[in-house]
Amino acid sequence: SRRASMGRQSSTRRRMTSRARGDAGARAAVARETLVPERATRARALEDAREDREAWEALEAKLSRLREDGDGGGFDALVDVGGEIRARARAHDARTVFVDVGLGFMAEMTVDEGLGRARDARRDAATREVEAANALREVETSLAEIERGIRELLELELAERAV
């Protein structure tokens, strides 16, 4: 009677271990097929938002210096002429600048208008950066929870084998 009871417990424990092994495999598949690629996508979005913010900050700083100088007489600059090639150029009139407004379009603006555009775009990029960081953190939290669950299931399996 005692032996039969122990045999039933052992059989039940084996079924639970087998089910746990299947759960661990399913959890690992979810992590591998969805969350790992999602983490990479969200990490790229964070990096893109960070680069955008830094670029707008740099433009904002340059336009601020230009406004502080108050020199409508121009300035020297390196100009991107395409293909990562730059040429030295002289802007003869610094009262207006061309600012990228998106989709490859450049708009001529006063320095103050350009500065306003740079500030707005920097704020938008900073907001996107925070949102992207939060989204990345969510995926990493989910991956950590799945990893913890898999570890617990595997520990259950190891404990079963030891008994």
Side-chain angles (χ1 to χ4, degrees), residues 107-122:
E108 186 173 13
M109 301 178 178
T110 66
V111 172
D112 286 336
E113 290 170 335
L115 190 54
R117 168 75 176 118
R119 285 180 180 145
D120 291 345
R122 176 190 42 83

Side-chain angles (χ1 to χ4, degrees), residues 87-109:
R88 187 175 309 278
R90 171 121 183 106
H92 297 286
D93 184 358
R95 290 177 292 183
T96 60
V97 293
F98 286 90
V99 178
D100 184 348
V101 293
L103 299 174
F105 291 100
M106 304 294 278
E108 186 173 13
M109 301 178 178

